[in-house]
Protein backbone atom coordinates (compact mmCIF):
# COMPACT_ATOMS: atom_id res chain seq x y z
CA UNK A 1 0.00 0.00 0.00
CA UNK A 2 1.32 3.43 -0.95
CA UNK A 3 0.37 6.74 0.77
CA UNK A 4 0.57 9.95 -1.19
CA UNK A 5 -0.27 13.60 -0.24
CA UNK A 6 -3.33 14.99 -2.03
CA UNK A 7 -2.94 18.49 -3.34
CA UNK A 8 -5.50 21.00 -1.89
CA UNK A 9 -7.88 22.57 -4.32
CA UNK A 10 -8.85 25.54 -2.02
CA UNK A 11 -6.48 28.47 -1.72
CA UNK A 12 -4.78 28.88 1.67
CA UNK A 13 -6.13 31.80 3.78
CA UNK A 14 -3.74 34.73 4.05
CA UNK A 15 -1.72 34.88 7.22
CA UNK A 16 -2.30 37.89 9.50
CA UNK A 17 0.74 40.15 9.79
CA UNK A 18 2.77 39.15 12.84
CA UNK A 19 3.08 42.74 14.05
CA UNK A 20 -0.67 43.43 14.08
CA UNK A 21 -1.37 42.46 17.72
CA UNK A 22 1.54 44.59 18.92
CA UNK A 23 0.37 47.55 16.91
CA UNK A 24 -3.11 47.14 18.42
CA UNK A 25 -1.74 47.19 21.99
CA UNK A 26 0.46 50.19 21.30
CA UNK A 27 -2.50 52.07 19.84
CA UNK A 28 -4.63 51.28 22.92
CA UNK A 29 -1.94 52.52 25.33
CA UNK A 30 -1.39 55.61 23.18
CA UNK A 31 -5.07 56.53 23.37
CA UNK A 32 -5.17 55.83 27.10
CA UNK A 33 -2.15 58.08 27.66
CA UNK A 34 -3.70 60.78 25.51
CA UNK A 35 -6.92 60.55 27.54
CA UNK A 36 -5.02 60.92 30.84
CA UNK A 37 -3.09 63.93 29.53
CA UNK A 38 -6.36 65.46 28.34
CA UNK A 39 -8.02 64.96 31.70
CA UNK A 40 -5.08 66.51 33.57
CA UNK A 41 -4.90 69.43 31.16
CA UNK A 42 -8.64 69.98 31.47
CA UNK A 43 -8.44 70.00 35.24
CA UNK A 44 -5.53 72.44 35.30
CA UNK A 45 -7.21 74.69 32.76
CA UNK A 46 -10.40 74.63 34.81
CA UNK A 47 -8.46 75.61 37.92
CA UNK A 48 -6.81 78.49 36.06
CA UNK A 49 -10.05 79.76 34.54
CA UNK A 50 -12.14 79.30 37.67
CA UNK A 51 -13.14 82.61 39.19
CA UNK A 52 -11.57 83.28 42.53
CA UNK A 53 -14.21 83.25 45.25
CA UNK A 54 -14.03 85.31 48.41
CA UNK A 55 -11.28 84.33 50.82
CA UNK A 56 -12.61 82.17 53.69
CA UNK A 57 -13.18 83.94 56.98
CA UNK A 58 -10.87 82.46 59.62
CA UNK A 59 -12.36 81.30 62.92
CA UNK A 60 -12.50 84.13 65.43
CA UNK A 61 -9.90 82.76 67.82
CA UNK A 62 -7.45 82.28 64.93
CA UNK A 63 -8.31 85.43 62.96
CA UNK A 64 -5.25 87.57 63.79
CA UNK A 65 -2.86 84.63 63.84
CA UNK A 66 -3.90 83.40 60.39
CA UNK A 67 -3.91 86.89 58.86
CA UNK A 68 -0.34 87.73 59.92
CA UNK A 69 2.73 86.86 57.85
CA UNK A 70 4.58 85.92 61.05
CA UNK A 71 6.16 82.44 60.72
CA UNK A 72 4.26 79.65 62.48
CA UNK A 73 5.85 77.02 64.69
CA UNK A 74 4.10 73.89 65.98
CA UNK A 75 5.84 72.63 69.12
CA UNK A 76 5.10 69.09 70.30
CA UNK A 77 5.69 67.98 73.87
CA UNK A 78 8.11 65.06 73.83
CA UNK A 79 8.87 62.33 76.33
CA UNK A 80 12.17 62.41 78.19
CA UNK A 81 14.18 59.20 77.74
CA UNK A 82 17.29 58.04 79.57
CA UNK A 83 19.50 54.98 79.55
CA UNK A 84 21.29 52.73 82.01
CA UNK A 85 24.97 52.95 81.09
CA UNK A 86 26.03 49.96 83.21
CA UNK A 87 28.36 47.81 81.04
CA UNK A 88 26.55 44.82 79.64
CA UNK A 89 23.13 46.18 80.59
CA UNK A 90 21.99 48.63 77.88
CA UNK A 91 18.53 49.62 79.04
CA UNK A 92 16.45 52.52 77.65
CA UNK A 93 13.98 53.90 80.20
CA UNK A 94 10.85 56.02 80.05
CA UNK A 95 9.67 56.97 83.55
CA UNK A 96 6.24 58.71 83.69
CA UNK A 97 7.32 60.74 86.71
CA UNK A 98 10.49 62.09 85.08
CA UNK A 99 9.75 64.74 82.47
CA UNK A 100 12.35 67.45 83.03
CA UNK A 101 16.11 67.63 83.52
CA UNK A 102 15.49 68.72 87.11
CA UNK A 103 13.32 65.67 87.84
CA UNK A 104 15.96 63.46 86.25
CA UNK A 105 18.71 64.99 88.45
CA UNK A 106 16.57 64.46 91.57
CA UNK A 107 15.98 60.84 90.55
CA UNK A 108 19.73 60.26 90.17
CA UNK A 109 20.46 61.88 93.53
CA UNK A 110 18.20 59.35 95.27
CA UNK A 111 20.30 56.47 93.95
CA UNK A 112 23.96 57.30 94.66
CA UNK A 113 24.92 53.62 94.80
CA UNK A 114 22.54 52.51 92.05
CA UNK A 115 22.92 52.20 88.29
CA UNK A 116 24.49 54.95 86.24
CA UNK A 117 21.88 56.77 84.17
CA UNK A 118 22.35 59.21 81.31
CA UNK A 119 19.90 61.33 79.32
CA UNK A 120 19.69 60.40 75.66
CA UNK A 121 20.21 62.94 72.89
CA UNK A 122 16.75 62.25 71.45
CA UNK A 123 13.20 62.09 72.78
CA UNK A 124 9.96 60.33 71.86
CA UNK A 125 6.65 61.81 70.70
CA UNK A 126 3.31 60.25 71.59
CA UNK A 127 1.61 58.50 68.67
CA UNK A 128 -1.26 61.01 68.56
CA UNK A 129 1.19 63.74 67.57
CA UNK A 130 0.73 62.69 63.94
CA UNK A 131 -3.02 63.32 64.24
CA UNK A 132 -2.39 66.76 65.75
CA UNK A 133 -0.14 67.71 62.83
CA UNK A 134 -2.84 66.59 60.37
CA UNK A 135 -5.55 68.57 62.19
CA UNK A 136 -3.48 71.77 62.30
CA UNK A 137 -2.57 71.35 58.62
CA UNK A 138 -6.25 71.10 57.67
CA UNK A 139 -6.96 74.26 59.67
CA UNK A 140 -4.09 76.32 58.21
CA UNK A 141 -4.17 75.14 54.59
CA UNK A 142 -7.23 77.15 53.36
CA UNK A 143 -5.51 80.35 54.49
CA UNK A 144 -2.22 79.64 52.76
CA UNK A 145 -0.40 79.20 56.06
CA UNK A 146 2.43 76.76 56.60
CA UNK A 147 4.29 75.88 59.79
CA UNK A 148 7.45 74.25 61.03
CA UNK A 149 7.41 71.43 63.57
CA UNK A 150 9.69 71.22 66.56
CA UNK A 151 9.94 68.87 69.52
CA UNK A 152 9.88 70.68 72.86
CA UNK A 153 13.35 69.41 73.75
CA UNK A 154 14.63 71.03 70.53
CA UNK A 155 12.94 74.39 71.05
CA UNK A 156 15.30 77.35 71.32
CA UNK A 157 13.85 80.00 73.69
CA UNK A 158 14.84 82.63 71.12
CA UNK A 159 12.16 81.22 68.83
CA UNK A 160 9.45 82.49 71.16
CA UNK A 161 9.78 86.01 69.81
CA UNK A 162 9.97 85.30 66.09
CA UNK A 163 7.00 82.98 65.59
CA UNK A 164 3.34 82.47 66.31
CA UNK A 165 3.46 79.29 68.37
CA UNK A 166 1.04 76.41 68.79
CA UNK A 167 2.20 74.14 71.61
CA UNK A 168 0.52 70.77 72.15
CA UNK A 169 1.06 67.77 74.39
CA UNK A 170 0.71 66.46 77.89
CA UNK A 171 1.28 69.39 80.24
CA UNK A 172 4.13 67.60 82.00
CA UNK A 173 6.02 67.38 78.67
CA UNK A 174 5.73 71.07 77.74
CA UNK A 175 9.14 72.09 79.07
CA UNK A 176 9.50 75.81 79.68
CA UNK A 177 5.74 76.29 79.14
CA UNK A 178 4.99 74.36 82.34
CA UNK A 179 5.93 77.48 84.33
CA UNK A 180 5.63 80.13 81.64
CA UNK A 181 2.40 81.59 83.08
CA UNK A 182 3.01 82.37 86.77
CA UNK A 183 -0.06 84.64 86.96
CA UNK A 184 -2.46 82.09 85.52
CA UNK A 185 -5.24 80.85 87.82
CA UNK A 186 -4.65 77.34 86.42
CA UNK A 187 -1.38 75.78 87.51
CA UNK A 188 0.18 72.35 87.05
CA UNK A 189 1.07 71.28 90.60
CA UNK A 190 2.26 67.76 89.77
CA UNK A 191 2.60 65.60 86.69
CA UNK A 192 -1.04 64.54 86.98
CA UNK A 193 -2.76 67.36 88.90
CA UNK A 194 -4.01 70.90 88.29
CA UNK A 195 -5.04 73.62 90.72
CA UNK A 196 -7.59 76.34 89.91
CA UNK A 197 -7.23 79.43 92.12
CA UNK A 198 -9.80 82.19 91.69
CA UNK A 199 -9.65 85.18 94.06
CA UNK A 200 -12.34 84.96 96.74
CA UNK A 201 -12.97 81.25 96.12
CA UNK A 202 -11.41 78.13 97.60
CA UNK A 203 -8.75 76.49 95.44
CA UNK A 204 -10.01 73.54 93.40
CA UNK A 205 -7.85 70.56 92.48
CA UNK A 206 -8.22 68.33 89.44
CA UNK A 207 -6.51 65.00 88.81
CA UNK A 208 -6.89 62.35 86.14
CA UNK A 209 -9.02 59.44 87.30
CA UNK A 210 -9.21 55.83 86.17
CA UNK A 211 -7.05 53.59 84.04
CA UNK A 212 -5.38 55.38 81.13
CA UNK A 213 -5.88 52.26 78.96
CA UNK A 214 -9.63 52.10 79.65
CA UNK A 215 -12.50 54.49 80.38
CA UNK A 216 -11.12 57.42 82.39
CA UNK A 217 -11.44 61.11 83.22
CA UNK A 218 -8.86 63.63 82.13
CA UNK A 219 -8.50 67.41 82.26
CA UNK A 220 -7.20 69.76 79.58
CA UNK A 221 -6.30 73.41 79.10
CA UNK A 222 -6.59 75.77 76.16
CA UNK A 223 -4.59 78.96 76.55
CA UNK A 224 -4.24 81.77 74.07
CA UNK A 225 -1.74 84.31 75.37
CA UNK A 226 0.31 87.16 73.91
CA UNK A 227 3.89 86.38 73.00
CA UNK A 228 6.89 88.63 73.72
CA UNK A 229 6.97 90.25 70.26
CA UNK A 230 3.39 90.98 69.14
CA UNK A 231 2.88 87.28 68.41
CA UNK A 232 0.43 84.69 69.71
CA UNK A 233 1.02 81.53 71.74
CA UNK A 234 -1.58 78.76 71.87
CA UNK A 235 -1.15 76.11 74.56
CA UNK A 236 -3.18 72.93 74.04
CA UNK A 237 -2.46 70.45 76.79
CA UNK A 238 -3.89 67.74 78.99
CA UNK A 239 -2.81 65.83 82.05
CA UNK A 240 -2.87 62.70 79.91
CA UNK A 241 -2.83 62.13 76.18
CA UNK A 242 -6.64 62.04 76.09
CA UNK A 243 -6.98 65.64 77.27
CA UNK A 244 -4.18 66.79 74.98
CA UNK A 245 -5.83 65.28 71.89
CA UNK A 246 -9.23 66.74 72.75
CA UNK A 247 -7.77 70.24 73.21
CA UNK A 248 -6.20 70.14 69.74
CA UNK A 249 -9.48 68.92 68.29
CA UNK A 250 -11.43 71.68 70.05
CA UNK A 251 -9.52 74.40 68.20
CA UNK A 252 -9.20 72.71 64.79
CA UNK A 253 -12.51 70.92 64.18
CA UNK A 254 -14.97 73.32 62.45
CA UNK A 255 -17.99 72.31 64.53
CA UNK A 256 -16.14 72.44 67.83
CA UNK A 257 -14.58 75.78 66.86
CA UNK A 258 -18.04 77.19 66.19
CA UNK A 259 -19.26 75.89 69.55
CA UNK A 260 -16.25 77.42 71.31
CA UNK A 261 -16.81 80.77 69.59
CA UNK A 262 -20.47 80.83 70.65
CA UNK A 263 -19.56 79.93 74.23
CA UNK A 264 -17.01 82.74 74.49
CA UNK A 265 -19.41 85.22 72.88
CA UNK A 266 -22.19 84.34 75.32
CA UNK A 267 -19.86 84.56 78.30
CA UNK A 268 -18.15 87.85 77.43
CA UNK A 269 -20.36 89.41 74.76
CA UNK A 270 -17.48 89.06 72.27
CA UNK A 271 -14.57 86.73 71.52
CA UNK A 272 -11.65 87.94 73.64
CA UNK A 273 -8.20 88.17 72.11
CA UNK A 274 -6.72 86.05 74.91
CA UNK A 275 -8.27 83.54 77.26
CA UNK A 276 -7.80 80.35 79.30
CA UNK A 277 -10.21 77.43 79.37
CA UNK A 278 -10.28 74.35 81.60
CA UNK A 279 -11.99 71.21 80.26
CA UNK A 280 -13.08 67.92 81.77
CA UNK A 281 -12.65 65.09 79.25
CA UNK A 282 -14.13 61.60 79.37
CA UNK A 283 -12.44 59.12 77.12
CA UNK A 284 -10.91 55.73 76.41
Amino acid sequence: MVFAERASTAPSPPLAPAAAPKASRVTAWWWLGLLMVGLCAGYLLGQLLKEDGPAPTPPAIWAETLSRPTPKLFVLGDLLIFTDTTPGNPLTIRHPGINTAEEFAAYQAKQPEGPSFELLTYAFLVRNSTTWVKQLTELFLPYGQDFEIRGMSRLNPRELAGNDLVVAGMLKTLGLFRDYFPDSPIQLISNDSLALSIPGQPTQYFSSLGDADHQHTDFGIIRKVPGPNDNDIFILGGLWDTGSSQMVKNVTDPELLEELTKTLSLRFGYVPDYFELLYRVEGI
Side-chain angles (χ1 to χ4, degrees), residues 42-125:
Y43 173 79
L44 293 174
L45 183 60
Q47 292 297 105
L48 291 173
L49 296 179
K50 184 173 62 176
E51 293 184 4
D52 292 332
T57 302
I61 70 169
W62 292 99
E64 289 192 19
T65 308
L66 291 175
S67 62
R68 278 198 301 260
T70 308
K72 309 297 187 279
L73 185 60
F74 191 19
V75 184
L76 299 169
D78 45 21
L79 303 173
L80 185 145
I81 306 292
F82 57 98
T83 184
D84 181 352
T85 60
T86 305
N89 185 33
L91 183 64
T92 300
I93 302 170
R94 164 61 192 159
H95 192 301
I98 302 176
N99 299 284
T100 66
E102 292 76 17
E103 290 173 346
F104 175 69
Y107 179 74
Q108 281 187 305
K110 292 179 181 178
Q111 307 179 71
E113 305 299 327
S116 176
F117 295 117
E118 183 178 283
L119 284 176
L120 294 177
T121 57
Y122 59 87
F124 287 159
L125 295 172

Side-chain angles (χ1 to χ4, degrees), residues 1 35 49 67 89 146 151 159 165 186 202 242 250 258 265 274:
M1 184 178 290
L35 176 62
L49 296 179
S67 62
N89 185 33
D146 199 356
E159 294 178 295
L165 283 88
I186 309 171
T242 304
N250 285 349
E258 184 178 355
S265 299
Y274 303 109

Side-chain angles (χ1 to χ4, degrees), residues 39-275:
L39 289 174
C40 292
Y43 173 79
L44 293 174
L45 183 60
Q47 292 297 105
L48 291 173
L49 296 179
K50 184 173 62 176
E51 293 184 4
D52 292 332
T57 302
I61 70 169
W62 292 99
E64 289 192 19
T65 308
L66 291 175
S67 62
R68 278 198 301 260
T70 308
K72 309 297 187 279
L73 185 60
F74 191 19
V75 184
L76 299 169
D78 45 21
L79 303 173
L80 185 145
I81 306 292
F82 57 98
T83 184
D84 181 352
T85 60
T86 305
N89 185 33
L91 183 64
T92 300
I93 302 170
R94 164 61 192 159
H95 192 301
I98 302 176
N99 299 284
T100 66
E102 292 76 17
E103 290 173 346
F104 175 69
Y107 179 74
Q108 281 187 305
K110 292 179 181 178
Q111 307 179 71
E113 305 299 327
S116 176
F117 295 117
E118 183 178 283
L119 284 176
L120 294 177
T121 57
Y122 59 87
F124 287 159
L125 295 172
V126 297
R127 183 170 55 185
N128 279 346
S129 297
T130 56
T131 302
W132 306 342
V133 172
K134 173 181 178 292
Q135 291 168 329
L136 195 68
T137 301
E138 291 172 344
L139 173 70
F140 278 24
L141 189 61
Y143 309 99
Q145 293 283 356
D146 199 356
F147 56 87
E148 292 188 31
I149 302 172
R150 189 92 73 251
M152 180 60 66
S153 59
R154 300 290 184 182
L155 179 67
N156 187 325
R158 296 178 182 176
E159 294 178 295
L160 269 64
N163 299 274
D164 287 317
L165 283 88
V166 180
V167 183
M170 289 183 286
L171 294 168
K172 61 188 178 184
T173 68
L174 297 191
L176 63 91
F177 292 104
R178 287 174 52 143
D179 305 312
Y180 191 73
F181 313 97
D183 298 329
S184 168
I186 309 171
Q187 293 293 330
L188 183 68
I189 57 174
S190 73
N191 283 325
D192 296 312
S193 298
L194 290 167
L196 174 62
S197 302
I198 299 176
Q201 299 182 21
T203 300
Q204 301 179 65
Y205 298 94
F206 305 91
S207 299
S208 298
L209 302 171
D211 184 347
D213 293 327
H214 298 86
Q215 179 70 33
H216 60 270
T217 299
D218 197 8
F219 292 91
I221 296 174
I222 295 176
R223 283 189 176 116
K224 183 187 177 186
V225 296
N229 190 30
D230 194 29
N231 57 326
D232 290 334
I233 301 176
F234 288 81
I235 307 294
L236 314 170
L239 291 175
W240 288 351
D241 192 33
T242 304
S244 308
S245 295
Q246 186 62 49
M247 297 307 101
V248 176
K249 187 174 182 179
N250 285 349
V251 298
T252 56
D253 180 84
E255 292 184 5
L256 294 178
L257 264 173
E258 184 178 355
E259 181 181 331
L260 173 57
T261 301
K262 289 180 178 178
T263 302
L264 290 172
S265 299
L266 288 173
R267 174 65 177 82
F268 299 104
Y270 64 98
V271 178
D273 292 334
Y274 303 109
F275 51 84

Side-chain angles (χ1 to χ4, degrees), residues 21-40:
K22 182 177 180 181
S24 177
R25 288 195 297 270
V26 170
T27 301
W29 280 112
W30 187 87
W31 279 110
L32 180 60
L34 185 62
L35 176 62
M36 294 297 294
V37 171
L39 289 174
C40 292

